[in-house]
Amino acid sequence: MKTGKTRRMVAGMAVAASVLAGSSLGAVAEGITLTYPVVAPNTQSGFTTDPAIDYAGNKSFAMGTAETLFVLDDDTKEVLPLLATSIEQTEDLVWTITIRDGVTMSNGKELTADVCKKALEYIFANNTRIGTMADVASIEADGQTLTIKTNHIVALMPRILSEPNVIIFDTEADDYSRGLIGTGPYILDSMDPEGNCELSKNDNYWQGTPAADKIITKANIGADAYTAALQTGELDWASVSDADLALFEDNPDYEVMYQNAGRAYYLYVNPNYTFTKDDALREALTYAVDREAILNGVYGGHGAVTRSIFPEWSEYYSEENLQPEYDQEKAKQILADAGYTDTDGDGILNAPDGENVKLNITCYDKNGFKTLSEVLQQLFRQIGIDSEIKASDSVFDDLTAGEYNIGTYGYNTLTLGDCYNYLQPVFQTDASSNFTKFSNEQVDADLAEMSITSDSEKRAELAKDIQKYVYSTNERIYIMHIINNMVKRKEVVNVPALFGGDQTNMSVLWKITKE
């Protein structure tokens, strides 16, 4: 496991008082070029930088052409000012934001609240996920003051405005689908139809002189090609497959960085379908899952086993509320006590009504879930439970239909560095990803309170309370958190782990250089 190498990340709602703007880095080495991958959104007409399409705002931020009003710090605990200097919830449904003075866009246009208003209106109207989270009723601009009014209380507004897809750009520029105008440290010079881009430094960048002279981003070369490109020097940094990490981990020419951002692999255990309606069988299954065997046998040890929704470093993690550890004998005893017996000696248990138990495991045929399901099949067989595997093109649709016993799933539990965007859709009564139809009045009440409070300690308290109830039903079995990697060439400095990810502070791009 790489648990010792993960970056500690926590989440909260505080807006830091410090200002990110700083002085120039001083003398800039001549001819420094940075080359790295940016997976390019593509439409029928080719690569696009339109932030309304396929979350392309993130790509413009990663290339350095545009920025957001706020960013999360490296631990995702605090919201830091970027193009804005402050945000205040002046009324329950009103957020007042001060836009930074003295910032110009790469076309020379002054950054004002009106420029920000138009960019946000475009993104909220055209990006369904972000628009739903923000729930904006209206946006008003007056000089450098931006006022956002919402239809309901949106406690996470500062974090939403730090989302790398919520970029500020000039909506009045000619064609922002092919190279939008923003405030970033680099200016797009050219791009080909595939999305490979060349950018030059913005000498008038508001934070100071960018450290590199030129940026080249490579699009859609494929993860398998990243290893060779790093070895030849074509790329300065990239994430590589777990199988290739050994090529870089002990190589002095490279540095490997790790990050557990909270993406969990887990099982839905359906309490509304055939055999898993039985509480005792579901409880036995929680003891039958050998997390270490799955992590090492399926994922090569590149992850962190978990008995919790959240990673141990998270403020939402609760040591008092964890799922059971692997205990095959305990699983067998629970089944025996509940009346499960092998009546014909074939190694498969019969339910108390005499029927042979056979479960349906539904999985994606990707992310290792098919192999994971095969390991589960073996583990369940060891306690006398037979199963069959159904590989699906759309697990979401299959789990929504409800004709499954076990469903494999992956979900980011800390979107925007916060717990709500996982807990609400997965555990609120009748929510979109509540495939087991879990319903609990106290959990619904906790989620309702969480939706309107921005106090980080209170949010953590509510998250821990929710976990007390959800683990007790044995409707989900948490297995592991993914450990992501970033390999960079040794001479590259100031690049954060997983640069380009939705939870990475990419405002540091102007400082990334080579020694």
Side-chain angles (χ1 to χ4, degrees):
M1 292 186 297
K2 299 293 188 296
T3 52
K5 297 181 180 178
T6 59
R7 300 170 63 199
R8 184 180 184 277
M9 301 174 67
V10 290
M13 284 298 299
V15 177
S18 62
V19 174
L20 290 182
S23 61
S24 168
L25 292 179
V28 178
E30 291 294 322
I32 292 177
T33 298
L34 301 174
T35 305
Y36 54 93
V38 173
V39 178
N42 278 278
T43 66
Q44 290 183 343
S45 57
F47 172 72
T48 181
T49 55
D50 187 340
I53 298 176
D54 199 22
Y55 304 104
N58 175 291
K59 314 310 175 188
S60 292
F61 202 169
M63 292 192 300
T65 59
E67 298 172 307
T68 53
L69 294 177
F70 301 93
V71 292
L72 298 182
D73 71 355
D74 288 342
D75 292 330
T76 72
K77 182 177 182 180
E78 294 184 338
V79 179
L80 302 174
L82 189 59
L83 295 180
T85 59
S86 66
I87 183 169
E88 181 182 2
Q89 191 173 11
T90 49
E91 299 178 31
D92 282 349
L93 305 182
V94 179
W95 292 88
T96 301
I97 301 160
T98 302
I99 305 304
R100 189 179 300 279
D101 287 322
V103 177
T104 57
M105 312 191 91
S106 57
N107 60 358
K109 189 172 186 175
E110 180 184 0
L111 181 70
T112 63
D114 187 61
V115 170
C116 298
K117 170 182 181 293
K118 291 172 181 175
L120 293 178
E121 286 177 336
Y122 179 81
I123 290 170
F124 292 152
N126 292 285
N127 188 310
T128 302
R129 178 177 66 85
I130 294 171
T132 299
M133 285 195 298
D135 193 25
V136 170
S138 65
I139 306 177
E140 300 173 4
D142 181 12
Q144 296 298 94
T145 300
L146 189 72
T147 303
I148 298 178
K149 297 180 180 179
T150 59
N151 294 306
H152 301 89
I153 296 176
V154 181
L156 292 178
M157 183 60 74
R159 290 181 175 271
I160 293 169
L161 296 177
S162 74
E163 223 274 5
N165 289 289
V166 188
I167 55 171
I168 301 303
F169 64 103
D170 186 359
T171 61
E172 297 177 350
D174 290 339
D175 184 6
Y176 48 83
S177 69
R178 299 295 295 167
L180 53 77
I181 301 298
T183 62
Y186 294 94
I187 299 170
L188 181 63
D189 294 324
S190 65
M191 65 179 174
D192 65 22
E194 296 300 317
N196 299 294
C197 298
E198 294 190 8
L199 305 98
S200 56
K201 67 181 179 182
N202 179 359
D203 290 319
N204 296 314
Y205 181 53
W206 64 276
Q207 291 201 82
T209 304
D213 293 293
K214 187 175 182 179
I215 296 284
I216 296 175
T217 63
K218 298 290 186 178
N220 303 327
I221 65 175
D224 292 341
Y226 289 166
T227 294
L230 282 164
Q231 291 174 322
T232 62
E234 180 185 359
L235 293 178
D236 289 312
W237 68 79
S239 294
V240 303
S241 68
D242 290 341
D244 287 344
L245 276 174
L247 299 172
F248 302 100
E249 287 179 319
D250 297 319
N251 190 322
D253 294 329
Y254 303 91
E255 179 182 352
V256 182
M257 299 179 287
Y258 299 93
Q259 184 188 56
N260 181 345
R263 182 170 178 80
Y265 284 174
Y266 63 100
L267 310 176
Y268 282 97
V269 186
N270 190 355
N272 310 300
Y273 187 69
T274 66
F275 300 103
T276 45
K277 290 180 180 180
D278 183 17
D279 293 341
L281 176 57
R282 294 200 310 279
E283 182 184 8
L285 293 179
T286 67
Y287 286 94
V289 176
D290 186 343
R291 296 170 175 84
E292 292 284 353
I294 292 171
L295 175 65
N296 294 314
V298 181
Y299 297 101
H302 296 287
V305 296
T306 187
R307 295 184 287 133
S308 167
I309 295 170
F310 303 107
E312 291 184 22
W313 55 259
S314 168
E315 61 192 296
Y316 309 117
Y317 175 83
S318 173
E319 190 72 41
E320 292 74 31
N321 296 296
L322 295 172
Q323 296 192 302
E325 293 187 88
Y326 172 60
D327 189 337
Q328 191 178 99
E329 295 307 312
K330 176 73 171 178
K332 291 177 179 178
Q333 188 61 53
I334 291 171
L335 293 171
D337 291 346
Y340 288 80
T341 57
D342 180 5
T343 58
D344 55 11
D346 64 354
I348 302 300
L349 293 176
N350 297 86
D353 64 2
E355 186 176 2
N356 269 21
V357 177
K358 189 169 188 177
L359 305 183
N360 165 336
I361 303 175
T362 298
C363 67
Y364 278 119
D365 193 7
K366 62 180 182 180
N367 295 337
F369 285 157
K370 179 71 178 300
T371 306
L372 184 156
S373 298
E374 291 168 354
V375 174
L376 289 174
Q377 193 174 40
Q378 295 171 22
L379 291 168
F380 295 161
R381 184 65 185 251
Q382 290 170 10
I383 62 168
I385 302 298
D386 197 11
S387 60
E388 61 183 357
I389 297 171
K390 175 188 175 184
S392 171
D393 292 329
S394 177
V395 165
F396 184 93
D397 290 341
D398 285 345
L399 299 191
T400 300
E403 295 183 356
Y404 70 98
N405 295 114
I406 308 289
T408 63
Y409 218 71
Y411 211 126
N412 184 359
T413 66
L414 291 170
T415 305
L416 302 177
D418 186 81
C419 62
Y420 182 77
N421 290 318
Y422 175 78
L423 295 177
Q424 184 277 325
V426 173
F427 296 110
Q428 184 173 290
T429 300
D430 297 328
S432 60
S433 295
N434 186 352
F435 301 121
T436 66
K437 303 189 187 315
F438 174 91
S439 183
N440 181 282
E441 289 184 3
Q442 185 57 54
V443 169
D444 286 344
D446 286 347
L447 287 169
E449 186 172 358
M450 190 180 289
S451 72
I452 63 174
T453 182
S454 59
D455 180 81
S456 59
E457 291 185 3
K458 183 61 178 177
R459 296 177 74 80
E461 178 186 320
L462 292 167
K464 291 176 181 179
D465 190 57
I466 288 170
Q467 290 172 78
K468 286 192 307 187
Y469 299 98
V470 302
Y471 297 148
S472 67
T473 66
N474 300 313
E475 295 178 16
R476 290 158 187 79
I477 301 174
Y478 292 88
I479 299 174
M480 61 181 287
H481 289 107
I482 299 304
I483 302 296
N484 297 310
N485 72 75
M486 175 73 79
V487 178
K488 73 175 184 69
R489 298 184 65 80
K490 198 71 172 182
E491 66 269 21
V492 179
V493 296
N494 300 326
V495 60
L498 306 186
F499 181 88
D502 281 345
Q503 291 181 210
T504 305
N505 180 358
M506 291 182 289
S507 68
V508 301
L509 177 59
W510 74 290
K511 296 182 179 181
I512 300 175
T513 187
K514 295 178 181 177
E515 293 182 331

Coordinates of all heavy atoms in Angstrom, one line a residue, residues 383-456:
I383 N -17.3 -18.9 2.1 CA -18.2 -19.0 3.2 C -19.5 -19.7 2.8 O -20.5 -19.6 3.5 CB -18.5 -17.6 3.8 CG1 -19.2 -16.7 2.8 CG2 -17.2 -16.9 4.3 CD1 -19.8 -15.4 3.4
G384 N -19.5 -20.3 1.6 CA -20.6 -21.1 1.2 C -21.6 -20.4 0.4 O -22.8 -20.9 0.2
I385 N -21.3 -19.2 -0.1 CA -22.2 -18.4 -0.9 C -21.8 -18.4 -2.4 O -20.7 -18.0 -2.7 CB -22.3 -17.0 -0.4 CG1 -22.7 -16.9 1.1 CG2 -23.3 -16.1 -1.3 CD1 -24.1 -17.5 1.3
D386 N -22.7 -18.9 -3.3 CA -22.4 -19.0 -4.7 C -22.8 -17.6 -5.3 O -23.7 -16.9 -4.8 CB -23.2 -20.1 -5.3 CG -22.7 -20.5 -6.7 OD1 -21.6 -20.0 -7.1 OD2 -23.4 -21.2 -7.4
S387 N -22.3 -17.3 -6.5 CA -22.6 -16.1 -7.1 C -22.3 -16.2 -8.6 O -21.5 -17.0 -9.0 CB -21.8 -14.9 -6.5 OG -20.4 -15.1 -6.6
E388 N -22.9 -15.3 -9.4 CA -22.6 -15.1 -10.8 C -22.3 -13.6 -11.1 O -22.8 -12.8 -10.4 CB -23.7 -15.6 -11.6 CG -25.0 -14.9 -11.4 CD -26.2 -15.5 -12.2 OE1 -25.9 -16.4 -13.0 OE2 -27.3 -15.0 -12.1
I389 N -21.5 -13.4 -12.1 CA -21.1 -12.0 -12.4 C -21.8 -11.6 -13.7 O -21.8 -12.3 -14.7 CB -19.5 -12.0 -12.6 CG1 -18.8 -12.3 -11.3 CG2 -19.1 -10.6 -13.1 CD1 -17.3 -12.5 -11.4
K390 N -22.3 -10.4 -13.6 CA -22.9 -9.7 -14.8 C -22.1 -8.4 -15.1 O -22.2 -7.5 -14.4 CB -24.4 -9.4 -14.5 CG -25.0 -8.6 -15.7 CD -26.4 -8.1 -15.3 CE -27.0 -7.3 -16.5 NZ -28.3 -6.7 -16.1
A391 N -21.3 -8.5 -16.2 CA -20.6 -7.2 -16.6 C -21.6 -6.3 -17.4 O -22.4 -6.8 -18.2 CB -19.5 -7.6 -17.6
S392 N -21.6 -5.1 -17.0 CA -22.6 -4.1 -17.5 C -22.0 -3.0 -18.3 O -20.9 -2.5 -17.9 CB -23.4 -3.6 -16.4 OG -24.3 -2.6 -16.8
D393 N -22.7 -2.5 -19.3 CA -22.3 -1.3 -20.0 C -22.7 0.0 -19.2 O -22.2 1.1 -19.4 CB -22.8 -1.2 -21.4 CG -22.2 -2.3 -22.3 OD1 -21.1 -2.6 -22.1 OD2 -23.0 -2.7 -23.2
S394 N -23.7 -0.2 -18.4 CA -24.3 0.9 -17.6 C -24.7 0.4 -16.2 O -25.9 0.1 -16.0 CB -25.4 1.6 -18.3 OG -26.0 2.6 -17.5
V395 N -23.7 0.4 -15.3 CA -24.0 -0.1 -13.9 C -25.1 0.9 -13.3 O -25.9 0.4 -12.5 CB -22.7 -0.1 -13.1 CG1 -23.1 -0.2 -11.6 CG2 -21.9 -1.3 -13.5
F396 N -25.0 2.2 -13.6 CA -25.9 3.1 -13.0 C -27.4 2.7 -13.4 O -28.2 2.6 -12.5 CB -25.7 4.5 -13.5 CG -26.6 5.6 -12.9 CD1 -26.2 6.3 -11.8 CD2 -27.8 5.9 -13.4 CE1 -27.0 7.2 -11.2 CE2 -28.6 6.8 -12.9 CZ -28.2 7.5 -11.7
D397 N -27.6 2.4 -14.6 CA -28.9 2.0 -15.0 C -29.3 0.6 -14.4 O -30.5 0.5 -14.0 CB -29.0 1.8 -16.6 CG -28.9 3.2 -17.3 OD1 -29.1 4.2 -16.6 OD2 -28.6 3.2 -18.5
D398 N -28.4 -0.3 -14.3 CA -28.7 -1.6 -13.7 C -29.0 -1.5 -12.3 O -29.9 -2.1 -11.7 CB -27.6 -2.6 -14.0 CG -27.5 -3.1 -15.4 OD1 -28.5 -2.9 -16.1 OD2 -26.5 -3.6 -15.8
L399 N -28.2 -0.7 -11.5 CA -28.5 -0.6 -10.1 C -29.8 0.2 -9.9 O -30.5 0.0 -8.9 CB -27.3 0.1 -9.4 CG -25.9 -0.6 -9.5 CD1 -24.9 0.1 -8.6 CD2 -26.1 -2.1 -9.2
T400 N -30.1 1.2 -10.7 CA -31.3 1.9 -10.6 C -32.5 0.9 -10.8 O -33.5 1.0 -10.1 CB -31.4 3.0 -11.7 OG1 -30.3 3.9 -11.4 CG2 -32.7 3.8 -11.6
A401 N -32.4 0.0 -11.7 CA -33.5 -1.0 -12.0 C -33.7 -1.9 -10.8 O -34.8 -2.4 -10.5 CB -33.1 -1.8 -13.2
G402 N -32.6 -2.1 -10.0 CA -32.7 -2.8 -8.7 C -32.7 -4.3 -8.8 O -32.8 -5.0 -7.7
E403 N -32.4 -4.9 -9.9 CA -32.3 -6.4 -10.0 C -30.9 -6.9 -9.9 O -30.3 -7.4 -10.8 CB -32.9 -6.9 -11.3 CG -34.4 -6.6 -11.4 CD -35.1 -7.1 -12.7 OE1 -34.4 -7.6 -13.5 OE2 -36.3 -7.0 -12.8
Y404 N -30.4 -6.7 -8.7 CA -29.0 -7.1 -8.4 C -28.9 -7.4 -6.9 O -29.7 -6.9 -6.1 CB -28.0 -6.0 -8.7 CG -28.1 -4.8 -7.8 CD1 -27.2 -4.6 -6.7 CD2 -29.1 -3.8 -7.9 CE1 -27.3 -3.6 -5.8 CE2 -29.2 -2.8 -7.1 CZ -28.3 -2.7 -6.0 OH -28.5 -1.6 -5.1
N405 N -27.9 -8.2 -6.5 CA -27.6 -8.4 -5.1 C -26.4 -7.5 -4.7 O -26.4 -6.9 -3.7 CB -27.3 -9.9 -4.8 CG -28.4 -10.8 -5.0 OD1 -28.4 -11.6 -5.9 ND2 -29.5 -10.6 -4.2
I406 N -25.3 -7.6 -5.5 CA -24.1 -6.8 -5.3 C -23.8 -6.0 -6.5 O -23.8 -6.5 -7.6 CB -22.9 -7.8 -5.0 CG1 -23.2 -8.8 -3.9 CG2 -21.6 -6.9 -4.7 CD1 -23.3 -8.3 -2.6
G407 N -23.5 -4.7 -6.3 CA -23.1 -3.8 -7.3 C -21.8 -3.2 -7.0 O -21.6 -2.6 -5.9
T408 N -20.8 -3.2 -7.9 CA -19.5 -2.5 -7.7 C -19.6 -1.1 -8.2 O -20.3 -0.8 -9.2 CB -18.4 -3.2 -8.5 OG1 -18.6 -3.1 -9.9 CG2 -18.3 -4.7 -8.1
Y409 N -18.9 -0.2 -7.4 CA -19.1 1.2 -7.8 C -17.8 2.0 -7.3 O -17.1 1.6 -6.4 CB -20.3 1.8 -7.1 CG -21.1 2.8 -7.9 CD1 -21.8 2.4 -9.0 CD2 -21.1 4.1 -7.6 CE1 -22.5 3.3 -9.8 CE2 -21.8 5.1 -8.4 CZ -22.5 4.6 -9.5 OH -23.2 5.5 -10.3
G410 N -17.6 3.1 -8.0 CA -16.6 4.0 -7.6 C -17.2 5.4 -7.5 O -18.0 5.8 -8.4
Y411 N -16.8 6.2 -6.5 CA -17.4 7.5 -6.3 C -16.4 8.4 -5.6 O -15.7 7.9 -4.6 CB -18.7 7.4 -5.5 CG -19.8 8.4 -5.7 CD1 -21.1 7.9 -6.0 CD2 -19.6 9.7 -5.6 CE1 -22.1 8.8 -6.3 CE2 -20.6 10.6 -5.9 CZ -21.9 10.2 -6.2 OH -22.9 11.1 -6.4
N412 N -16.3 9.6 -6.0 CA -15.4 10.6 -5.2 C -16.2 11.0 -4.0 O -17.2 11.7 -4.1 CB -15.1 11.8 -6.1 CG -14.1 12.7 -5.4 OD1 -13.8 12.5 -4.3 ND2 -13.8 13.8 -6.1
T413 N -15.7 10.7 -2.8 CA -16.4 11.0 -1.6 C -16.1 12.4 -1.1 O -16.7 12.9 -0.1 CB -16.0 10.0 -0.5 OG1 -14.7 10.2 -0.1 CG2 -16.3 8.6 -0.9
L414 N -15.2 13.1 -1.7 CA -14.8 14.5 -1.3 C -14.7 15.5 -2.4 O -13.8 16.2 -2.5 CB -13.4 14.4 -0.6 CG -13.4 13.6 0.8 CD1 -12.0 13.4 1.3 CD2 -14.2 14.4 1.8
T415 N -15.8 15.5 -3.2 CA -15.9 16.5 -4.2 C -15.8 17.9 -3.6 O -16.5 18.2 -2.6 CB -17.2 16.4 -5.0 OG1 -17.3 15.1 -5.5 CG2 -17.3 17.4 -6.2
L416 N -15.0 18.8 -4.2 CA -14.8 20.2 -3.7 C -14.1 20.1 -2.3 O -14.2 21.1 -1.6 CB -16.1 21.0 -3.7 CG -16.8 21.2 -5.0 CD1 -18.1 21.9 -4.7 CD2 -16.0 21.9 -6.0
G417 N -13.5 19.0 -1.9 CA -12.9 18.9 -0.6 C -13.9 18.7 0.5 O -13.6 18.9 1.7
D418 N -15.2 18.4 0.2 CA -16.3 18.4 1.2 C -17.0 17.1 1.0 O -17.0 16.5 0.0 CB -17.2 19.6 1.0 CG -18.2 19.7 2.1 OD1 -17.9 20.2 3.1 OD2 -19.4 19.3 1.8
C419 N -17.8 16.7 2.1 CA -18.4 15.4 2.1 C -19.9 15.4 1.5 O -20.4 14.4 1.2 CB -18.5 14.9 3.6 SG -19.5 16.0 4.6
Y420 N -20.5 16.6 1.4 CA -21.9 16.7 1.1 C -22.3 16.1 -0.2 O -23.3 15.4 -0.4 CB -22.4 18.1 1.2 CG -23.9 18.3 1.0 CD1 -24.8 17.9 2.0 CD2 -24.4 18.8 -0.2 CE1 -26.2 18.1 1.8 CE2 -25.7 18.9 -0.4 CZ -26.6 18.6 0.6 OH -28.0 18.7 0.3
N421 N -21.4 16.4 -1.2 CA -21.7 15.9 -2.6 C -21.6 14.4 -2.8 O -21.9 13.9 -3.9 CB -20.9 16.7 -3.6 CG -21.3 18.2 -3.7 OD1 -22.5 18.5 -3.7 ND2 -20.3 19.1 -3.7
Y422 N -21.1 13.7 -1.8 CA -21.2 12.3 -1.8 C -22.4 11.8 -0.9 O -23.3 11.0 -1.3 CB -19.9 11.6 -1.3 CG -20.1 10.1 -1.1 CD1 -20.1 9.3 -2.3 CD2 -20.4 9.5 0.1 CE1 -20.3 7.9 -2.2 CE2 -20.6 8.1 0.2 CZ -20.5 7.4 -0.9 OH -20.7 6.0 -0.8
L423 N -22.5 12.3 0.3 CA -23.5 11.8 1.2 C -24.9 12.1 0.8 O -25.8 11.2 0.9 CB -23.3 12.5 2.6 CG -22.0 12.1 3.3 CD1 -21.9 12.9 4.6 CD2 -21.9 10.6 3.6
Q424 N -25.2 13.3 0.2 CA -26.5 13.6 -0.2 C -27.1 12.7 -1.3 O -28.1 12.1 -1.2 CB -26.6 15.1 -0.6 CG -28.0 15.5 -0.9 CD -28.4 15.2 -2.4 OE1 -27.6 15.3 -3.3 NE2 -29.7 14.9 -2.6
P425 N -26.4 12.6 -2.5 CA -26.9 11.7 -3.5 C -26.9 10.2 -3.2 O -27.7 9.5 -3.8 CB -26.1 12.0 -4.7 CG -24.8 12.5 -4.2 CD -25.1 13.2 -2.9
V426 N -26.1 9.8 -2.2 CA -26.0 8.4 -1.9 C -26.9 7.9 -0.8 O -27.4 6.8 -0.8 CB -24.6 8.0 -1.7 CG1 -24.4 6.5 -1.2 CG2 -23.7 8.2 -2.9
F427 N -27.2 8.8 0.2 CA -28.0 8.4 1.4 C -29.3 9.2 1.6 O -30.1 8.7 2.4 CB -27.1 8.6 2.6 CG -25.9 7.6 2.6 CD1 -24.6 8.1 2.4 CD2 -26.0 6.3 2.7 CE1 -23.5 7.3 2.3 CE2 -25.0 5.4 2.6 CZ -23.7 5.9 2.5
Q428 N -29.5 10.3 0.9 CA -30.8 10.9 1.2 C -31.9 10.1 0.5 O -31.7 9.5 -0.5 CB -30.7 12.3 0.5 CG -32.0 13.1 0.8 CD -31.9 14.6 0.3 OE1 -31.1 15.4 0.9 NE2 -32.6 14.9 -0.8
T429 N -33.0 10.1 1.2 CA -34.2 9.3 0.7 C -34.5 9.7 -0.7 O -34.6 10.9 -1.0 CB -35.4 9.5 1.6 OG1 -35.1 9.1 3.0 CG2 -36.6 8.7 1.1
D430 N -34.6 8.7 -1.6 CA -35.0 8.9 -3.0 C -33.9 9.7 -3.8 O -34.3 10.2 -4.9 CB -36.3 9.6 -3.1 CG -37.5 8.8 -2.5 OD1 -37.4 7.5 -2.6 OD2 -38.4 9.3 -2.0
A431 N -32.7 9.8 -3.3 CA -31.7 10.6 -4.1 C -31.2 9.7 -5.3 O -31.4 8.5 -5.4 CB -30.5 11.0 -3.2
S432 N -30.4 10.4 -6.2 CA -30.1 9.8 -7.5 C -29.2 8.6 -7.4 O -29.4 7.7 -8.2 CB -29.4 10.9 -8.3 OG -28.2 11.3 -7.7
S433 N -28.3 8.5 -6.5 CA -27.4 7.3 -6.4 C -27.7 6.5 -5.2 O -26.9 5.7 -4.7 CB -25.9 7.8 -6.4 OG -25.6 8.4 -7.6
N434 N -28.9 6.6 -4.6 CA -29.3 5.8 -3.5 C -29.9 4.5 -4.0 O -31.1 4.3 -3.9 CB -30.3 6.6 -2.6 CG -30.7 5.9 -1.3 OD1 -30.3 4.7 -1.1 ND2 -31.4 6.6 -0.5
F435 N -29.1 3.7 -4.6 CA -29.6 2.5 -5.3 C -30.2 1.4 -4.4 O -31.0 0.6 -4.8 CB -28.4 1.8 -6.1 CG -27.8 2.7 -7.1 CD1 -26.5 3.0 -7.0 CD2 -28.6 3.3 -8.1 CE1 -25.9 3.9 -7.9 CE2 -28.0 4.2 -9.0 CZ -26.6 4.4 -8.9
T436 N -29.9 1.5 -3.1 CA -30.5 0.5 -2.1 C -31.8 1.0 -1.5 O -32.3 0.3 -0.6 CB -29.5 0.2 -1.0 OG1 -29.3 1.3 -0.2 CG2 -28.2 -0.4 -1.6
K437 N -32.2 2.2 -1.9 CA -33.4 2.9 -1.3 C -33.2 3.1 0.2 O -34.2 2.9 1.0 CB -34.6 2.1 -1.6 CG -34.9 1.9 -3.1 CD -36.2 1.3 -3.5 CE -36.4 0.9 -4.9 NZ -35.9 2.0 -5.9
F438 N -32.0 3.3 0.7 CA -31.8 3.6 2.1 C -32.6 4.8 2.5 O -32.7 5.8 1.7 CB -30.3 3.9 2.3 CG -29.9 4.4 3.6 CD1 -29.6 3.5 4.6 CD2 -29.9 5.8 4.0 CE1 -29.2 3.9 5.9 CE2 -29.6 6.2 5.2 CZ -29.2 5.3 6.2
S439 N -33.2 4.8 3.7 CA -34.0 5.9 4.2 C -34.0 5.9 5.7 O -34.2 4.9 6.3 CB -35.5 5.7 3.7 OG -36.2 6.9 4.1
N440 N -33.6 7.1 6.2 CA -33.5 7.2 7.6 C -33.8 8.7 8.0 O -33.2 9.6 7.4 CB -32.1 6.9 8.1 CG -31.9 7.0 9.6 OD1 -31.7 8.1 10.1 ND2 -31.9 5.9 10.3
E441 N -34.7 8.9 8.9 CA -35.2 10.3 9.2 C -34.0 11.1 9.7 O -33.9 12.3 9.4 CB -36.3 10.2 10.2 CG -37.7 9.7 9.6 CD -38.8 9.8 10.6 OE1 -38.6 10.3 11.7 OE2 -39.9 9.4 10.2
Q442 N -33.2 10.5 10.6 CA -32.1 11.3 11.2 C -31.1 11.7 10.1 O -30.5 12.8 10.1 CB -31.5 10.5 12.3 CG -30.4 11.3 13.1 CD -30.9 12.6 13.7 OE1 -31.9 12.6 14.4 NE2 -30.3 13.7 13.3
V443 N -30.8 10.7 9.2 CA -29.8 11.0 8.2 C -30.4 12.1 7.3 O -29.7 13.1 6.9 CB -29.5 9.8 7.3 CG1 -28.7 10.1 6.1 CG2 -28.7 8.8 8.2
D444 N -31.7 12.1 6.9 CA -32.3 13.1 6.1 C -32.2 14.5 6.9 O -31.9 15.5 6.2 CB -33.7 12.8 5.8 CG -33.8 11.7 4.7 OD1 -32.8 11.4 4.0 OD2 -34.9 11.2 4.6
A445 N -32.4 14.5 8.2 CA -32.3 15.7 8.9 C -30.9 16.2 9.0 O -30.7 17.4 8.9 CB -32.8 15.4 10.4
D446 N -29.9 15.3 9.2 CA -28.5 15.7 9.2 C -28.1 16.3 7.8 O -27.4 17.4 7.8 CB -27.6 14.5 9.5 CG -27.7 14.1 10.9 OD1 -28.2 14.9 11.8 OD2 -27.2 13.0 11.2
L447 N -28.6 15.7 6.7 CA -28.2 16.3 5.4 C -28.9 17.6 5.2 O -28.3 18.5 4.6 CB -28.7 15.3 4.3 CG -27.8 14.0 4.2 CD1 -28.5 13.0 3.3 CD2 -26.4 14.3 3.7
A448 N -30.1 17.8 5.7 CA -30.8 19.1 5.5 C -30.0 20.2 6.3 O -29.9 21.3 5.8 CB -32.2 19.0 6.0
E449 N -29.5 19.8 7.5 CA -28.8 20.8 8.2 C -27.4 21.1 7.6 O -27.0 22.2 7.5 CB -28.6 20.3 9.7 CG -27.9 21.3 10.6 CD -27.9 20.9 12.0 OE1 -28.4 19.8 12.4 OE2 -27.3 21.6 12.8
M450 N -26.8 20.0 7.0 CA -25.5 20.2 6.4 C -25.6 21.1 5.2 O -24.7 21.9 4.8 CB -24.9 18.9 6.0 CG -23.5 18.9 5.5 SD -22.9 17.3 5.0 CE -22.8 16.5 6.6
S451 N -26.8 21.1 4.5 CA -27.0 21.9 3.3 C -27.0 23.4 3.5 O -26.8 24.2 2.6 CB -28.2 21.4 2.5 OG -29.4 21.9 3.2
I452 N -27.2 23.8 4.8 CA -27.3 25.2 5.1 C -26.3 25.7 6.0 O -26.3 26.9 6.3 CB -28.7 25.5 5.6 CG1 -29.0 24.8 7.0 CG2 -29.8 25.2 4.6 CD1 -30.3 25.2 7.6
T453 N -25.4 24.8 6.5 CA -24.4 25.3 7.4 C -23.0 25.3 6.8 O -22.6 24.3 6.1 CB -24.3 24.5 8.7 OG1 -23.3 25.0 9.6 CG2 -24.0 23.0 8.5
S454 N -22.2 26.3 7.0 CA -20.9 26.4 6.4 C -19.8 26.2 7.5 O -18.6 26.2 7.1 CB -20.7 27.8 5.8 OG -20.8 28.8 6.7
D455 N -20.2 26.0 8.7 CA -19.3 25.7 9.8 C -18.6 24.4 9.6 O -19.3 23.3 9.6 CB -20.0 25.8 11.1 CG -19.0 25.6 12.3 OD1 -18.3 26.5 12.7 OD2 -19.0 24.5 12.8
S456 N -17.3 24.3 9.5 CA -16.6 23.1 9.1 C -16.7 22.1 10.2 O -16.8 20.9 10.0 CB -15.1 23.4 8.8 OG -14.5 24.0 9.9

